[in-house]
Amino acid sequence: MNWKVIAFAALGLALSFHSQANEKTLQVSGQGIVAATPDAYTLTMVIEERGAVVAKLNEQANAKLNAVVSFLLSQGVAEQQIQAMSVSLSPWYEHMPNGREHKGFVLSRKVRVTSNQLQNYDTVLDGAMKRGINRIDQFEFINSHPDEIYREALIAAVEDAKVRASLIAKQMGVTITGVVSISESMSYNQPPVGVRMRVQQEDAMSLPGQTDTSAAVNVTFAIEN
């Protein structure tokens, strides 16, 4: 895994002393960031056929799909990383001088690919287009283990909160005696909240850059003089 953990203070941190039921507490927010280089990419491609006979359109789309899948397999993309998604069918109209005219149907089929072969993604794109792909709906670099990366960021956030609390307690002449409560201040979905792209300066045209995955926690410590 190629990532780096960064712990730092978030803007607007809640740092305060107050008493709850005669218990003195110290509230601290901590944040952690993991900078990770994407190790895979995801790609959604569309095969599209237009015509009057649906059965013929489906036959043509399947022929192109088979050619695309065979090519992807030859490029090292695993079979389980290829999803031939459901077929969609819609009417095909064209605007004519006398109004809109029904010409037939548009049959579309999506193919989604996820691969860790970053070095040949451009070859995959070019080869797929030559074998019948009409357009690219989505392409992005991703991390194949986002949960693991987020957990690293969460650990860094907790450590950051502990360090900040210790520093504040020392300066205020109090002692930390325990933890009253702790909570995440960010929810985590797919992808995690707080992800942003950072383009590397060197060789930026060919490298996927890095993603920053962040996590934040709010911790209330018990203290005594």
Side-chain angles (χ1 to χ4, degrees):
M1 299 297 173
N2 183 15
W3 63 66
K4 180 174 64 176
V5 178
I6 307 170
F8 71 100
L11 293 178
L13 292 174
L15 304 175
S16 64
F17 293 100
H18 72 279
S19 177
Q20 296 178 339
N22 297 323
E23 182 180 31
K24 294 181 179 179
T25 61
L26 167 63
Q27 294 181 348
V28 179
S29 294
Q31 185 169 359
I33 289 182
V34 174
T37 300
D39 59 357
Y41 67 86
T42 181
L43 167 66
T44 301
M45 304 175 286
V46 180
I47 296 172
E48 190 173 273
E49 294 292 330
R50 296 171 181 258
V53 182
V54 175
K56 185 177 181 180
L57 298 180
N58 191 51
E59 181 181 344
Q60 293 170 340
N62 284 337
K64 289 182 178 180
L65 175 63
N66 290 334
V68 170
V69 170
S70 295
F71 169 71
L72 293 173
L73 293 174
S74 72
Q75 295 299 307
V77 180
E79 185 175 350
Q80 63 268 26
Q81 295 176 319
I82 304 171
Q83 292 180 312
M85 305 173 78
S86 60
V87 176
S88 64
L89 189 67
S90 59
W92 172 26
Y93 293 95
E94 285 192 0
H95 292 282
M96 310 298 289
N98 295 327
R100 195 171 67 157
E101 180 178 335
H102 181 256
K103 306 291 288 185
F105 302 92
V106 179
L107 186 147
S108 300
R109 188 158 190 172
K110 289 187 177 182
V111 182
R112 184 176 182 182
V113 177
T114 302
S115 175
N116 58 1
Q117 305 292 325
L118 288 179
Q119 69 279 4
N120 67 342
Y121 75 89
D122 48 355
T123 302
V124 167
L125 286 169
D126 290 338
M129 296 296 290
K130 291 177 182 178
R131 286 163 177 80
I133 293 297
N134 295 90
R135 70 176 188 271
I136 306 298
D137 265 8
Q138 183 184 31
F139 177 86
E140 62 178 331
F141 292 110
I142 62 172
N143 291 301
S144 58
H145 302 283
D147 294 325
E148 186 176 346
I149 295 173
Y150 179 75
R151 284 193 291 270
E152 292 291 334
L154 190 58
I155 291 171
V158 173
E159 291 298 322
D160 182 45
K162 290 165 62 178
V163 169
R164 294 179 61 79
S166 296
L167 177 63
I168 295 171
K170 181 179 179 180
Q171 294 300 313
M172 297 301 296
V174 297
T175 302
I176 294 176
T177 60
V179 176
V180 176
S181 66
I182 182 169
S183 64
E184 290 183 80
S185 61
M186 289 185 180
S187 60
Y188 171 52
N189 299 306
Q190 293 281 348
V193 174
V195 171
R196 62 184 176 86
M197 292 301 297
R198 296 192 309 166
V199 178
Q200 295 179 352
Q201 293 298 319
E202 65 280 5
D203 202 15
M205 294 300 292
S206 61
L207 295 177
Q210 288 187 322
T211 56
D212 284 353
T213 301
S214 65
V217 294
N218 295 317
V219 186
T220 300
F221 294 91
I223 59 172
E224 63 181 19
N225 293 331

